Amino acid sequence: MYGRLALAGLAVFGSVLSPQPKPDDWLPLFDGKSLQGWRPTPFTGHAAVRVEDGTLVLEAGAPMTGVTRTAPTPKSNYEVRYEAARVKGGDFFASLTFPVGDSFCTWVTGGWGGDIVGISSIDGWDASDNETRSYFTFETGRWYTFRLRVQDARIQVWIDDRQVVNVEIGGRSLGLRYGEIKLSAPFGFASYNTTGRLRKIEYRLLP
């Protein structure tokens, strides 16, 4: 449906002068030292974003805090993986908004009271109401590994080694939930009334 992205000489997720990454190479998006390549997302009522002990900290906002990537991003046939922990609060702590073709979606990590995961939005339905919804108990302070795979006709997500999303998207309407989450596009993380930490943020192109 969407076709493979033509990069036209731009480095994916990097600066224009960076070398073109090879498929299957995992490359870092966060250096653990600074916000290089990122900017705080201008959500209304956002709290502080900082780098601490090699992690990216999203303090609890009123309601959201986030960061948005400032470099070019692929539109399909890529994977992202990262580790995240809910430090304080009871809602999503490391949700990822990402490109899918010419649209965007959000991978929700523990929304609607803290335990719903899924993709918003598909055919106009949020993660809480579409077929990607499932329930996952996140322990406060524990690190989890998330992996997102975006292909032309499918989105898949894993938490640690457990696959929680495997949805066909060909011919379907994809988009973001109404509201300020659009400020996370094209690629960004957000928390909701919750402090979250992220680390080891990486991506790779799929062959």
Side-chain angles (χ1 to χ4, degrees):
M1 175 183 178
Y2 295 112
R4 194 174 295 271
L5 174 67
L7 295 176
L10 293 180
V12 183
F13 285 119
S15 70
V16 175
L17 299 178
S18 299
Q20 173 66 34
K22 297 178 181 179
D24 293 329
D25 285 350
W26 286 103
L27 298 175
L29 294 175
F30 171 56
D31 63 13
K33 302 175 183 178
S34 71
L35 288 176
Q36 182 178 356
W38 301 89
R39 60 173 174 81
T41 309
F43 294 129
T44 301
H46 69 85
V49 174
R50 68 180 190 277
V51 177
E52 180 178 277
D53 298 328
T55 71
L56 179 58
V57 182
L58 306 178
E59 293 286 357
M64 290 193 291
T65 298
V67 290
T68 302
R69 188 74 181 160
T70 59
T73 58
K75 294 185 177 181
S76 190
N77 298 306
Y78 66 92
E79 286 189 347
V80 176
R81 67 183 179 188
Y82 61 99
E83 295 182 3
R86 179 189 281 152
V87 178
K88 183 179 180 181
D91 216 286
F92 66 75
F93 56 99
S95 290
L96 173 60
T97 294
F98 59 94
V100 191
D102 293 325
S103 300
F104 304 98
C105 288
T106 301
W107 155 238
V108 181
T109 57
W112 292 276
D115 60 356
I116 291 180
V117 298
I119 302 295
S120 288
S121 296
I122 300 176
D123 295 330
W125 295 98
D126 289 336
S128 59
D129 296 305
N130 65 42
E131 71 267 39
T132 68
R133 180 188 67 189
S134 62
Y135 295 90
F136 194 97
T137 300
F138 292 102
E139 300 176 19
T140 299
R142 177 181 167 184
W143 287 94
Y144 294 88
T145 299
F146 300 98
R147 180 162 63 98
L148 169 76
R149 177 183 294 166
V150 180
Q151 295 173 291
D152 292 340
R154 187 174 297 273
I155 296 173
Q156 299 175 80
V157 185
W158 291 260
I159 301 176
D160 294 332
D161 294 324
R162 172 182 166 186
Q163 187 171 41
V164 292
V165 173
N166 184 13
V167 61
E168 293 185 5
I169 57 174
R172 306 185 70 176
S173 175
L174 305 176
L176 295 174
R177 193 170 193 263
Y178 177 79
E180 288 197 338
I181 196 65
K182 66 185 178 183
L183 299 175
S184 291
F187 186 92
F189 292 98
S191 66
Y192 189 96
N193 283 326
T194 299
T195 299
R197 285 181 179 259
L198 299 100
R199 66 187 183 189
K200 299 180 181 179
I201 307 170
E202 302 176 308
Y203 85 100
R204 66 178 177 181
L205 300 178
L206 297 176

